[in-house]
Amino acid sequence: MKTLRVGLLIAALLPASASVAQTKSTGVRKSADAVNAASFEALVKKANAAREADQADEATGLYKQAVRTKPAYVEGWWYLGMLYYEADQYADGRAAFRHVTGLKPEMALGWAMLGLCEFETKDFDSALVHLERADELKIPSEQGFYDVSKYHLALLLTRSGRFESAVKVIGDFARQGKDSPQFTEAMGLAALRKPLLPNELPPLEREMVLDVGHVLCDSAARRAAEAERDRLELLRKYPSTPQIHYLSGTMLLASDSDKALEEWNAELAISPDHPQALVSIAAEYLKRGEYQTALPYAEKAVEVNPKDFAAHAILGQILAEGNLDVPRGTHELETAVRLAPWQPQVHFALGTAYAKAGRKADAAKEREEFLRLRGQNEVAVSKPR
């Protein structure tokens, strides 16, 4: 079932003119190639006219003829794929968009539509890969394709357990004033760390998911008064529900870190092994320079979630910066880098630990990598979509 529809917004997505061969008479006789080109051009004009007249079946048949005649005709595969998608023929659409991405791999919209077709055929792992590829290539934000592909990307990130990334995607929508029930539900699923698609959510849990999503959307959109009111209401309705106090603390951190610590400790009273609460408490005490206080929280965070780069990074910083055990802290930071080599701040922390240990060459290398990654991130943020 499509949760958001994509219209045939074609005009701005492909070259202004189709890449149909233009022929000129070279003399008294037309060459065989010129005859074939003229025939192909006539076929394409007929297909375009049928599509523009909303004669979908006729247009589909004509585009199929066109791509059989000229398999490298990327616009034909694109239009054919869109016609299949609009007709809910997702397997056929997937096949067409595979041709588009093969012929024009730099086309973000080709990857987006391939991913959307795969989502509908329940090939979720492939859909996530291809929607991420589309996101990397930057889908034009003014097109309806942007919202639908990013929304489905958020759903798949949540389903795969990449909750923080999903929250960020939906948070971007909230900041644009887009917090309809669909977006709110997606935010709630990610924030509550439920690796489910909306149609898999048990009905009895939907109200809580929407409540949480609403609070987080208000917070992301910087609607401070509404967010605070909704946060308190969330605590009133779900005082003993796992994850609620953690989210409350996260919302409070910027304005009142002491209250944030109270909320995170309240979360640990409900969920003693809550990895994000443990990391958050350790990080706050690290920020304050209270290394001995931070240490047991970081130790436990690594124990309960040994594959979490953030837990290793926080533990490493506490040990190294606090001079509690620099060699072990360095080892923890090296583990964090292995788990998340794309995180610039982890490289910076490791470089600092290397410098403290007198490993100047290693420190320089890590700081160079930090600058490289930070530069990539800044370009990605500043580059127009």
Side-chain angles (χ1 to χ4, degrees):
M1 180 182 72
K2 291 180 189 171
T3 49
L4 293 173
R5 299 291 298 188
V6 179
L8 287 171
L9 303 176
I10 306 296
L13 311 180
L14 296 167
S17 59
S19 57
V20 178
Q22 301 297 315
T23 61
K24 293 182 179 180
S25 175
T26 58
V28 177
R29 288 178 64 242
K30 286 185 177 180
S31 69
D33 287 345
V35 172
N36 290 337
S39 176
F40 179 73
E41 182 176 356
L43 176 61
V44 168
K45 286 182 178 178
K46 190 174 179 182
N48 290 342
R51 173 177 53 78
E52 290 165 4
D54 292 327
Q55 298 171 348
D57 289 343
E58 182 179 353
T60 299
L62 291 167
Y63 281 122
K64 286 171 70 175
Q65 290 182 49
V67 295
R68 280 198 298 267
T69 302
K70 186 178 179 182
Y73 177 41
V74 64
E75 291 88 350
W77 287 115
W78 167 264
Y79 288 126
L80 188 59
M82 288 303 301
L83 288 163
Y84 282 135
Y85 183 82
E86 289 296 316
D88 297 340
Q89 297 177 36
Y90 304 115
D92 290 330
R94 177 182 59 193
F97 288 118
R98 281 176 177 164
H99 285 281
V100 173
T101 56
L103 292 166
K104 198 170 184 180
E106 74 281 8
M107 183 180 178
L109 290 168
W111 293 106
M113 292 309 303
L114 175 57
L116 290 172
C117 286
E118 289 168 334
F119 183 97
E120 299 296 344
T121 60
K122 303 188 187 309
D123 185 1
F124 298 124
D125 292 340
S126 294
L128 176 56
V129 170
H130 294 142
L131 287 173
E132 284 195 290
R133 180 61 179 150
D135 193 47
E136 290 169 4
L137 290 169
K138 305 300 178 188
I139 301 168
S141 58
E142 67 275 10
Q143 300 295 335
F145 293 93
Y146 180 82
D147 285 5
V148 71
S149 62
K150 292 282 279 190
Y151 168 77
H152 283 82
L153 173 59
L155 296 184
L156 292 171
L157 288 168
T158 298
R159 179 182 177 274
S160 69
R162 294 164 59 186
F163 305 111
E164 290 82 2
S165 296
V167 166
K168 184 180 183 301
V169 172
I170 301 300
D172 289 342
F173 281 119
R175 281 184 282 278
Q176 299 169 39
K178 298 173 182 178
D179 51 0
S180 67
Q182 283 178 312
F183 290 113
T184 301
E185 184 178 42
M187 176 67 95
L189 285 168
L192 286 168
R193 307 180 76 81
K194 292 181 178 291
L196 304 171
L197 296 175
N199 62 358
E200 298 169 338
L201 179 65
L204 292 177
E205 295 182 22
R206 190 167 190 272
E207 181 180 356
M208 180 179 66
V209 167
L210 288 172
D211 286 344
V212 169
H214 187 66
V215 173
L216 269 292
C217 284
D218 278 344
S219 179
R222 297 180 175 85
R223 297 188 286 261
E226 294 91 334
E228 177 60 12
R229 180 195 66 220
D230 294 340
R231 182 186 70 83
L232 293 173
E233 178 63 11
L234 203 64
L235 291 172
R236 186 194 68 80
K237 289 180 70 173
Y238 312 105
S240 302
T241 300
Q243 191 70 2
I244 299 299
H245 285 279
Y246 169 72
L247 294 172
S248 174
T250 301
M251 291 176 64
L252 287 167
L253 180 60
S255 60
D256 193 331
S257 60
D258 288 335
K259 284 187 177 179
L261 284 171
E262 289 178 11
E263 286 298 304
W264 291 330
N265 277 296
E267 182 65 49
L268 292 181
I270 297 168
S271 310
D273 293 339
H274 193 287
Q276 293 76 38
L278 290 164
V279 167
S280 296
I281 293 171
E284 178 57 27
Y285 284 125
L286 169 64
K287 180 181 176 182
R288 298 179 181 195
E290 298 179 27
Y291 303 109
Q292 291 288 359
T293 305
L295 183 59
Y297 293 101
E299 295 270 21
K300 189 168 183 179
V302 169
E303 178 187 337
V304 300
N305 195 4
K307 294 184 179 180
D308 179 20
F309 84 90
H312 288 281
I314 291 296
L315 178 56
Q317 287 178 274
I318 291 166
L319 292 168
E321 291 182 23
N323 290 312
L324 304 181
D325 188 337
V326 174
R328 184 182 167 213
T330 302
H331 174 73
E332 291 293 334
L333 287 164
E334 288 171 339
T335 300
V337 165
R338 283 197 300 272
L339 290 169
W342 60 87
Q343 289 285 346
Q345 291 299 332
V346 180
H347 288 277
F348 183 84
L350 179 56
T352 301
Y354 281 150
K356 181 169 284 194
R359 297 167 60 177
K360 294 182 179 180
D362 290 331
K365 180 180 177 183
E366 291 303 320
R367 286 175 176 167
E368 182 179 336
E369 183 65 5
F370 161 74
L371 292 172
R372 186 186 71 81
L373 291 169
R374 189 179 65 172
Q376 284 184 348
N377 291 342
E378 288 174 352
V379 169
V381 169
S382 63
K383 185 177 179 181
R385 285 181 175 135

